[in-house]
Amino acid sequence: APGAGTPSGTVQFQTNDADFGSAVALVAGVATSAVSSLNVATHAVKAIYSGDGNFNVSSNTLAGGQVVNKADSGTAVSSSANPSVVGQSVTFTATVTATAPGGGTPSGTVQFQTNGADYGAAAALVSGVATSPALSNLEIGTHAVTAMYSGDGNFNVSSNTLAGGQVVNKADSGTAVSSSANPSVYGQAVEFTATVTATAPGSGTPSGTVQFKTNGVNSGAAVALVSGVATSTAVSSLGIGTHTVTVDYSGDGSFNVSTGTLAGGQVVNKADSGTAVSSSTNPSVYGESVMFTATVTATAPGAGTPTGTVQFQTNGADYGSAVALVAGVATSAVSSLNVATHAVQAIYSGDGNFNVSSNTLAGGQVVNKADSGTAVTSSVNPSVYGQSVTFTATVTATAPGAGTPTGNVQFNTNGAAFGAPVALVAGSASSAGLSSLDVGTHVVTADYAGDGNFNTSSGTLSGGQVVNKAESSTAMGTTTNPTIYGEAVMFTATVTATAPGAGTPTGTMQFQTNGADFGGAVALVGGVATSTVPAGLAAGTNAVTATYSGDGSFNTNSGTLAGGQIVNMADTTTGVGSSVNPSVFGQAVIFTATVTPVAPGGGTPEGTVQFQTNGADYGSAVTLVGGMASNTVTGLDVATHTVTALYSG
């Protein structure tokens, strides 16, 4: 004043003596300039009017200056993932802003806290934003998350909490299954390994247990995870085929359950087998029973006991039927192998779990000749002189050999062969009859010559062949029987061997009559002895015996003349003689009777003679002396008298 009107032109604003912004045109005398960049402080604010055609320049200063205080701040908290899962890496972001009417971008730091505790260092605001270190160790649950802004030269501190907290849920898990050997073979011990891992974004190492299953059936007890890994007990019982193997993870406080399956399943193929062949005895001998044993076993890594059959072969040809395995073993006996080395093979047929296999007995089955034993027997022992004896040799296989030896046997007596070698028939050979052995004990041996299957052997008759004297018998004969007294007679004794003895006895014979020897002992000639003529056999039946002395080969014996030697009375003739004839009356006459035997009788009659004259005895009977008796007669009348002599016998 007193001027009037509305100035135009521009106003230049200054803070702290420095222009800020361009000059601002007056509108209806007013110019306005906004500023938000003033630091906290008291700032000199001046407006300088440029003037115009009507008005002069002017300026003025804001009374007391522009006082700028710290603005309030507001802090907002957010999570990179909410809810998250166990192990998931989560970052929290704090966005710090000026609280109206404040403006600008706060700087400084933010301290993050979970559940009231700092974690990590304070994070610097960048463009008003601070991000926490990644956090992955939050347990299951809801966690309070706070961001505490430290303030700066322009902004006051502030803090805030994540709305609803950081929710941490269980993480999903994944279960992978692997096999220690796939494919495997029957009986092979296989271990299955379950590896349980956190499924992203989860992390960490699951704990708890896993249950292994094959073909939907639990296999063993649940196995605890160690560092996220569990291994089943070894399984060796899986049959041939493809088996489904699954693992059920039980979950734990931080991880959800999961199931894994072995890709492609567990493939179990037939196991290879190995066949070992052994012999109960090697080398063996001909006829010996040999047991071949085939032991069929699983070839590693296979296991178990093969079943099925084994066919045994010798020299490339089957013998016997196929033999069933029992506990993996098959046995076959054979005793028919010839002397040689035989190839022995066992061929395993295989079964549902094992492949075929075969093997050969190392070195083959060696069959040697068997030893033999020779036993000698006698058809009769002891025998007697002249008896025909046959010897039998029985040749047998000596255990463990068996069978029937063939070939020849040579018999020997006292070290000398007798007869030709004799062929064995069914293991036996008999010598020709032998009757020439002397009395005594003889060594009898049989030498077996052996054959293609049996070794030689010799046998000796136990105790030897004992030859005793043979019994003999004496048969007696007489030249005449009956005879008459005085008749000459001879006795014959024929000594013969008594069966089974044989031969012609030698030695002497002593003849006896009525128990008394007569004559000397008579030598046998061709087994016959003839007595001397015995004298004086009495009339009647005379016992006649002959006693054989025996010899080196025959025993003594006696023979008796059957019925005895019958001696009948001899007929006699009596001759009468007179000492004088004719005689004269009164003359003494001697009559003599001479009694003589009538041939073939012999000897001198004894007894008495009764003389008669004219049929009447006279005198007593007169005893014969030397076959003669005499009587003297003196009283004969003159006449012719009949004189008779009567012999009494």
Side-chain angles (χ1 to χ4, degrees), residues 78-465:
S78 63
S79 168
S80 60
N82 197 13
S84 62
V85 295
V86 169
Q88 183 174 357
S89 181
V90 180
T91 57
F92 300 109
T93 299
T95 302
V96 183
T97 56
T99 301
T105 302
S107 62
T109 62
V110 172
Q111 178 64 57
F112 290 92
Q113 291 183 333
T114 55
N115 303 315
D118 292 349
Y119 81 89
L125 286 171
V126 176
S127 299
V129 176
T131 301
S132 72
L135 185 64
S136 60
N137 61 352
L138 292 177
E139 296 175 354
I140 299 293
T142 300
H143 301 271
V145 179
T146 304
M148 301 181 69
Y149 172 51
S150 62
D152 62 7
N154 295 318
F155 291 94
N156 291 316
V157 299
S158 63
S159 64
N160 209 345
T161 301
L162 180 65
Q166 178 65 36
V167 177
V168 179
N169 293 326
K170 286 185 178 183
D172 287 335
S173 64
T175 298
V177 185
S178 63
S179 167
S180 60
N182 198 12
S184 61
V185 295
Y186 180 79
Q188 182 176 0
V190 179
E191 293 179 338
F192 300 110
T193 299
T195 303
V196 183
T197 55
T199 301
S203 67
T205 303
S207 61
T209 60
V210 292
Q211 178 64 59
F212 291 91
K213 293 181 179 181
T214 53
N215 303 317
V217 178
N218 288 349
S219 176
V223 181
L225 289 171
V226 176
S227 299
V229 177
T231 301
S232 71
T233 54
V235 177
S236 58
S237 58
L238 296 178
I240 302 298
T242 300
H243 301 271
T244 301
V245 180
T246 56
V247 177
D248 293 336
Y249 169 52
S250 63
D252 62 8
S254 300
F255 292 93
N256 290 316
V257 299
S258 61
T259 297
T261 300
L262 180 65
Q266 178 66 36
V267 177
V268 179
N269 294 326
K270 285 186 178 183
D272 288 333
S273 64
T275 298
V277 186
S278 62
S279 167
S280 59
T281 305
N282 199 9
S284 61
V285 295
Y286 179 79
E288 181 176 5
S289 181
V290 179
M291 193 78 71
F292 297 116
T293 299
T295 303
V296 183
T297 54
T299 300
T305 303
T307 60
T309 60
V310 170
Q311 178 63 60
F312 290 91
Q313 291 185 333
T314 55
N315 305 316
D318 292 348
Y319 77 89
S321 302
V323 181
L325 287 172
V326 176
V329 176
T331 303
S332 180
V334 62
S335 59
S336 59
L337 296 177
N338 294 329
V339 173
T341 298
H342 301 270
V344 179
Q345 187 174 32
I347 302 172
Y348 170 52
S349 63
D351 63 9
N353 296 321
F354 292 92
N355 291 316
V356 299
S357 62
S358 63
N359 208 342
T360 301
L361 180 65
Q365 178 66 35
V366 178
V367 180
N368 294 325
K369 285 186 178 184
D371 287 333
S372 64
T374 299
V376 184
T377 59
S378 168
S379 60
V380 55
N381 197 11
S383 61
V384 295
Y385 179 79
Q387 183 174 3
S388 179
V389 180
T390 57
F391 301 108
T392 299
T394 302
V395 184
T396 55
T398 301
T404 304
T406 61
N408 297 319
V409 170
Q410 176 64 59
F411 290 93
N412 303 282
T413 55
N414 303 316
F418 75 90
V422 182
L424 289 171
V425 177
S428 292
S430 295
S431 71
L434 184 64
S435 58
S436 60
L437 294 177
D438 294 333
V439 172
T441 300
H442 301 270
V443 177
V444 180
T445 58
D447 293 334
Y448 170 53
D451 63 9
N453 296 320
F454 292 93
N455 291 316
T456 62
S457 61
S458 294
T460 300
L461 179 64
S462 178
Q465 178 64 38

Side-chain angles (χ1 to χ4, degrees), residues 595-616:
V595 182
T596 56
V598 176
T604 301
E606 299 173 347
T608 61
V609 170
Q610 180 65 55
F611 289 94
Q612 291 180 338
T613 57
N614 303 313

